[in-house]
Amino acid sequence: MPPVAPLSRSAALDCAARAHSAAMAARGFFDHRDPDGRDPAARARRAGYDADVGENLSWGQRSGSEVLHAWLASPGHCRNLMSPARHATGVGVARGAEGKIFFTQLYGTK
């Protein structure tokens, strides 16, 4: 994919991403929709971000660098990461009871 402008950090997206990673780690699920039925847009709105969002998830990698390389190698994840329509980002990381690390990155349009 062609280069795009850097994303700016969003406190609201950081909050939503951290909460989702923590929920996956604590409740033992791995999905874009949480067990309460909330999708990425609903979770972002709940955190105060009211615009279109995309989301990448990962688990099992040992570092953010490993996650990034995996996402760049995946066409769908790479499209989310490199979309020129996305301007903001938020990141969340949490470790589950068994040591598994859950990564969430949200991408917003405002």
Side-chain angles (χ1 to χ4, degrees):
M1 301 216 44
V4 294
L7 298 168
S8 61
R9 290 299 287 267
S10 161
L13 291 180
D14 274 339
C15 180
R18 282 193 309 268
H20 192 59
S21 286
M24 289 190 294
R27 297 173 76 181
F29 73 95
F30 181 75
D31 201 308
H32 293 286
R33 187 173 296 277
D34 68 25
D36 300 317
R38 288 184 294 262
D39 64 7
R43 289 185 275 106
R45 277 192 307 275
R46 188 173 184 187
Y49 192 88
D50 193 20
D52 183 49
V53 298
E55 179 178 71
N56 284 350
L57 302 176
S58 188
W59 66 269
Q61 286 86 2
R62 294 180 306 255
S63 70
S65 178
E66 286 183 15
V67 172
L68 180 59
H69 287 296
W71 286 343
L72 290 173
S74 165
H77 291 98
C78 189
R79 269 192 303 278
N80 250 352
L81 183 63
M82 301 297 290
S83 171
R86 306 293 187 197
H87 304 286
T89 190
V91 177
V93 180
R95 184 179 304 270
E98 298 173 3
K100 191 183 301 183
I101 304 172
F102 293 84
F103 298 87
T104 304
Q105 187 167 16
L106 289 166
Y107 308 94
T109 58
K110 69 174 185 179

